[in-house]
């Protein structure tokens, strides 16, 4: 049972184990070396970084062993240790020889370790107390979540039975049949995709249990949290052609549709600004961009562009080959804009001269690349945002700051909007496929083909690796490979949901995610505003295990799922 909740003794040989946080361990330092020495460490998370100074070790007398106060180490990533005979300053570089070097990939949370510098200058590493495994917490919380969802489902069924008794159902049979027909026309897989995205967004914004692979990657790479925002943007793009076609079929003019798009974009941007002021309404330091702001910008451009390119009447071609590429033909105007945006992004990224930085730099600055470019975070993207928005109005606490000692950088800045629009345009093409291809087989074939193509293109750009390739996968920069890879994943997920929910009607209705997707804006704004309030969030004790953090963020997520189900039961839906 202790394995399931990461239990460890409160004390161990005088050490306060409760003082450790998640993914932390103690390490004793001992020295038998006759001279002073200095310990430096490097985490695998920090790519091409120098070693960072941690502790000075005192000189030991002949035959003596001196101990230093135990250190608290992070166990989230493998650690490299080097001990130098002389002080190298804040950072130590590879061109300086060390007394000893070792690398540990087996460090565990709540472990206690010994690192000894022997008299001959070599290192000895020993495990004093084994740590605890951290992944069993998922099993514990999964069982609890399954039980809660079963109770929610039973409660939902009981509520429906209470509201619709047999007499009412018989009396309203005609209306019920019409409502069911309307529900069938609505693709529940789209609502489910959107709902799954917002549920995951709430989960990761609540901390994701403190797991490194769930949280955003420090710079390059793709973690679970990095998939949420682009998926949300993409599914918005999928729905644009469906919405525009429905409005055109009702006789609305294109000018009226464009005005509605403009008004909705303004509301999204304004709500995002208001959310940014939650920490204080100081206009001198108000962050201007953000998640909803990027939604607003991308929706404005793609919505108006697709409206202007849309045809009020679409007559499918007679020839089979022409029908097979008809969606591409209809998308030709938007495709031209998509390619122009990619060309502009690449031209500025690799061609714009940034003062004090190498041309085409894509790193996080700080101590990346052996601290060669400390003030160059994001290269052209960071420079453009600094010039357009000003340093006081961009995000001050990027993930890279805590790993690479980087400066301020806005992952939702102005420059990244270029490829965010591309992300939404690729979603719009997937939505156009729904309108043009009449059979589920042809739709799935088109989506799978596009998914494979984009996945391969993204893989080639990043060299099928985390740090390699011409353009690494990077959510902070919203890189081209990031767009291709995330759209590829989104297409695969939509294929799966579409087949299970809409094609094989009855296998799964999309519950409870489809209900969440129909009130996504309420869930996003609500969880942002109420982020530090009961009953959504709570603190109990040290909160220093993945189990309790996972329990707390899952509770918050399930509470919002319950709110969405409640709103659905009362047939209340809100959209901007």
């Amino acid at each position: 049972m202790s394995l399931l909740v990461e239990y460890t003794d409160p004390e161990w040989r005088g050490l306060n184990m409760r003082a450790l946080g998640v993914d932390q361990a103690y390490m004793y330092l001992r020295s038998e070396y006759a001279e002073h020495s200095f310990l430096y460490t490097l985490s695998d998370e920090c790519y091409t970084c120098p070693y960072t100074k941690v502790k000075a070790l005192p000189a030991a007398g002949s035959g003596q062993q001196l101990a230093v106060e135990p250190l608290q180490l992070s166990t989230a990533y493998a650690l490299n240790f080097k001990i130098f005979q002389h002080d190298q300053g804040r950072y130590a570089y590879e061109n300086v020889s060390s007394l000893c070097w070792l690398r540990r990939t087996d460090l565990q949370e709540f472990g206690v370790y010994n690192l000894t510098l022997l008299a001959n200058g070599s290192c000895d590493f020993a495990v004093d107390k084994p740590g605890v495994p951290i992944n069993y917490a998922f099993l514990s919380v999964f069982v609890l979540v399954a039980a809660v969802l079963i109770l929610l489902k039973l409660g939902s069924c009981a509520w429906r039975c209470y509201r619709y008794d047999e007499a009412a159902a018989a009396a309203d049979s005609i209306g019920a049949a019409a409502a069911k027909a309307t529900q069938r026309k609505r693709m529940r897989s789209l609502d489910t995709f959107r709902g799954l995205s917002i549920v995951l967004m709430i989960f990761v914004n609540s901390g994701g249990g403190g797991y490194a692979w769930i949280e955003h990657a420090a710079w390059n790479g793709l973690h679970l949290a990095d998939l949420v925002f682009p998926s949300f943007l993409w599914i918005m793009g999928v729905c644009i052609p469906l919405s525009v076609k429905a409005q055109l079929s009702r006789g609305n003019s294109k000018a009226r549709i464009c005005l509605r798009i403009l008004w909705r974009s303004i509301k999204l941007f304004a709500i995002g600004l208001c959310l940014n002021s939650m920490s204080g309404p100081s206009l001198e330091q108000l962050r201007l961009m953000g998640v909803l702001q990027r939604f607003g910008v991308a929706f404005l451009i793609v919505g108006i562009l697709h409206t202007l390119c849309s045809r009020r009447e679409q007559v499918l071609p007679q020839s089979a080959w022409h029908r097979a590429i008809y969606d591409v033909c209809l998308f030709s105007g938007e495709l031209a804009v998509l390619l122009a945006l990619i060309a502009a992004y690449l031209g500025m990224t690799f061609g714009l001269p940034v003062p004090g930085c190498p041309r085409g730099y894509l790193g996080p600055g700080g101590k990346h690349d052996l601290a060669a470019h400390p003030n160059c975070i994001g290269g052209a993207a960071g420079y453009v945002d600094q010039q357009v928005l000003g340093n006081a109005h961009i995000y001050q606490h990027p993930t890279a700051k805590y790993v690479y000692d980087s400066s301020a950088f806005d992952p939702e800045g102005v420059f990244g909007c270029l490829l965010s629009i591309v992300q939404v345009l690729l979603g719009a093409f997937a939505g156009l496929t729904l309108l043009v291809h009449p059979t589920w087989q042809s739709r799935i074939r088109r989506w799978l083909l596009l998914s494979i193509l984009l996945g391969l293109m993204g893989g080639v750009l990043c060299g099928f690796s985390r740090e390699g390739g011409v353009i690494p996968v990077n959510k902070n920069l919203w890189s081209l490979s990031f767009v291709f890879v995330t759209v590829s994943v989104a297409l695969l997920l939509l294929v799966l949901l579409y087949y299970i929910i809409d094609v094989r009607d009855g296998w799964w209705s999309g519950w409870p995610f489809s209900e969440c997707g129909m009130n996504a804006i309420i869930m996003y704004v609500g969880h942002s505003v109420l982020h530090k309030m009961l009953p959504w969030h709570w603190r109990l004790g040290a909160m220093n295990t993945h189990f309790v953090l996972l329990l707390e963020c899952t509770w918050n997520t399930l509470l919002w799922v319950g709110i969405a189900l409640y709103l659905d039961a009362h047939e209340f839906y809100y959209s901007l």
Side-chain angles (χ1 to χ4, degrees):
M1 184 64 185
S2 61
L3 289 176
L4 298 179
V5 296
E6 299 168 75
Y7 176 80
T8 189
D9 295 326
E11 284 194 14
W12 193 85
R13 294 185 183 177
L15 292 175
N16 181 9
M17 304 305 294
R18 296 290 170 85
L20 294 173
V22 292
D23 293 329
Q24 283 191 334
Y26 282 118
M27 186 176 76
Y28 282 107
L29 283 176
R30 294 182 171 87
S31 177
E32 300 175 359
Y33 197 63
E35 301 180 31
H36 285 84
S37 54
F38 301 87
L39 173 68
Y40 287 71
T41 64
L42 172 62
S43 169
D44 276 9
E45 187 181 18
C46 198
Y47 183 69
T48 67
C49 294
Y51 282 73
T52 301
K53 184 179 178 180
V54 176
K55 199 80 172 179
L57 282 71
S62 177
Q64 293 182 335
Q65 184 184 83
L66 293 181
V68 181
E69 283 294 318
L71 302 175
Q72 292 184 2
L73 299 176
S74 172
T75 62
Y77 293 88
L79 280 177
N80 301 273
F81 301 90
K82 277 190 177 182
I83 298 181
F84 294 88
Q85 187 172 4
H86 303 289
D87 190 350
Q88 305 298 315
R90 184 181 182 185
Y91 299 132
Y93 299 92
E94 295 289 348
N95 59 348
V96 181
S97 60
S98 60
L99 291 172
C100 66
W101 169 85
L102 61 88
R103 169 181 169 82
R104 303 300 300 191
T105 61
D106 57 349
L107 300 177
Q108 287 186 304
E109 181 183 86
F110 301 154
V112 179
Y113 304 97
N114 283 312
L115 176 58
T116 303
L117 178 61
L118 302 176
N120 62 2
S122 62
C123 288
D124 179 69
F125 190 89
V127 178
D128 238 10
K129 173 187 174 297
V132 298
I134 63 175
N135 293 319
Y136 287 110
F138 267 103
L139 178 60
S140 306
V141 175
F142 174 78
V143 173
L144 292 174
V145 170
V148 170
L149 289 178
I150 291 172
L151 290 175
L152 282 174
K153 186 64 176 176
L154 292 175
S156 176
C157 293
W159 172 257
R160 293 181 187 277
C161 291
Y162 172 75
R163 291 191 63 194
Y164 305 106
D165 55 31
E166 294 182 1
D172 297 334
S173 58
I174 297 177
K180 192 173 182 180
T182 303
Q183 191 177 22
R184 281 203 188 104
K185 290 179 183 178
R186 184 182 181 96
M187 281 187 58
R188 292 188 66 84
S189 57
L190 299 183
D191 290 326
T192 303
F193 189 105
R194 190 186 306 109
L196 182 60
S197 297
I198 188 62
V199 168
L200 280 176
M201 183 175 285
I202 293 173
F203 179 77
V204 299
N205 286 351
S206 301
Y211 287 96
W213 61 271
I214 292 179
E215 297 173 346
H216 290 292
W219 194 248
N220 293 334
L222 196 63
H223 294 183
L224 180 62
D226 300 316
L227 291 170
V228 177
F229 186 20
S231 298
F232 219 133
L233 274 173
W234 181 81
I235 198 63
M236 179 180 72
V238 174
C239 297
I240 287 175
L242 308 180
S243 175
V244 170
K245 183 179 184 299
Q247 293 182 69
L248 288 174
S249 64
R250 290 195 294 266
N252 291 319
S253 66
K254 289 188 176 182
R256 183 176 178 82
I257 295 173
C258 289
L259 286 175
R260 286 179 176 174
I261 291 171
L262 175 62
W263 177 232
R264 187 184 184 194
S265 300
I266 291 173
K267 289 191 288 185
L268 282 168
F269 202 97
I271 293 173
L273 276 179
C274 292
L275 293 178
N276 285 353
S277 69
M278 287 176 57
S279 58
S282 173
L283 296 181
E284 292 87 354
Q285 296 178 334
L286 179 66
R287 183 189 178 198
L288 297 180
M289 297 299 291
V291 172
L292 291 184
Q293 291 91 317
R294 183 164 287 191
F295 269 107
V297 171
F299 179 71
L300 175 66
I301 302 301
V302 178
I304 291 179
L305 177 62
H306 182 77
T307 301
L308 297 178
C309 294
S310 295
R311 303 178 186 179
R312 193 172 292 273
E313 297 292 337
Q314 293 181 8
V315 180
L316 290 176
Q318 297 299 316
S319 60
W321 70 269
H322 196 184
R323 284 199 305 272
I325 62 169
Y326 190 51
D327 52 348
V328 179
C329 297
L330 291 177
F331 195 69
S332 57
E334 290 138 294
L335 181 61
V337 174
L338 183 151
L339 294 175
L341 288 171
I342 292 176
Y345 178 89
L346 294 177
M348 295 180 69
T349 297
F350 294 100
L352 182 69
V354 179
C357 305
R359 189 164 298 188
Y361 179 71
L362 299 175
K367 57 185 179 181
H368 172 261
D369 200 13
L370 299 179
H373 316 291
N375 300 314
C376 295
I377 182 170
Y383 178 70
V384 169
D385 287 346
Q386 289 273 0
Q387 297 304 307
V388 174
L389 302 174
N391 185 70
H393 299 290
I394 64 176
Y395 190 51
Q396 299 298 310
H397 306 286
T399 312
K401 177 179 180 179
Y402 304 100
V403 177
Y404 291 95
D405 296 338
S406 304
S407 55
F409 179 82
D410 205 323
E412 285 85 41
V414 172
F415 189 80
C417 287
L418 292 175
L419 289 193
S420 293
I421 295 170
V422 171
Q423 187 110 24
V424 180
L425 281 170
L426 290 171
F429 179 72
L432 194 61
T433 299
L434 281 170
L435 299 177
V436 171
H437 292 272
T439 65
W440 66 266
Q441 294 94 336
S442 59
R443 293 170 176 176
I444 286 180
R445 278 197 299 269
R446 173 68 75 198
W447 289 337
L448 286 177
L449 178 64
L450 184 60
S451 175
I452 294 171
L453 178 63
L454 291 175
L456 289 175
M457 290 169 61
V460 169
L461 286 175
C462 70
F464 294 96
S465 64
R466 175 182 170 182
E467 301 288 351
V470 181
I471 304 177
V473 173
N474 189 299
K475 188 260 181 188
N476 293 278
L477 297 175
W478 214 272
S479 65
L480 187 58
S481 58
F482 175 79
V483 171
F484 288 164
V485 171
T486 53
V487 171
S488 175
V489 173
L491 281 164
L492 288 176
L493 180 58
L494 181 61
V495 166
L496 179 64
L497 294 176
Y498 175 63
Y499 183 78
I500 293 175
I501 297 172
D502 293 312
V503 176
R504 298 300 180 188
D505 188 22
W507 280 17
W508 181 39
S509 65
W511 185 93
F513 300 112
S514 58
E515 288 78 5
C516 297
M518 296 169 74
N519 271 308
I521 189 65
I522 290 180
M523 294 183 68
Y524 179 80
V525 174
H527 101 277
S528 299
V529 173
L530 304 173
H531 182 66
K532 296 182 180 180
M533 295 175 59
L534 285 170
W536 291 272
H537 286 276
W538 42 266
R539 288 290 181 267
L540 182 64
M543 299 290 287
N544 66 338
T545 65
H546 289 286
F547 171 76
V548 70
L549 291 177
L550 191 61
L551 194 63
E552 191 259 352
C553 74
T554 303
W555 161 259
N556 174 53
T557 306
L558 286 178
L559 203 56
W560 283 108
V561 171
I563 291 172
L565 293 175
Y566 176 82
L567 295 175
D568 177 70
H570 286 78
E571 298 180 0
F572 180 88
Y573 309 104
Y574 180 78
S575 60
L576 295 176

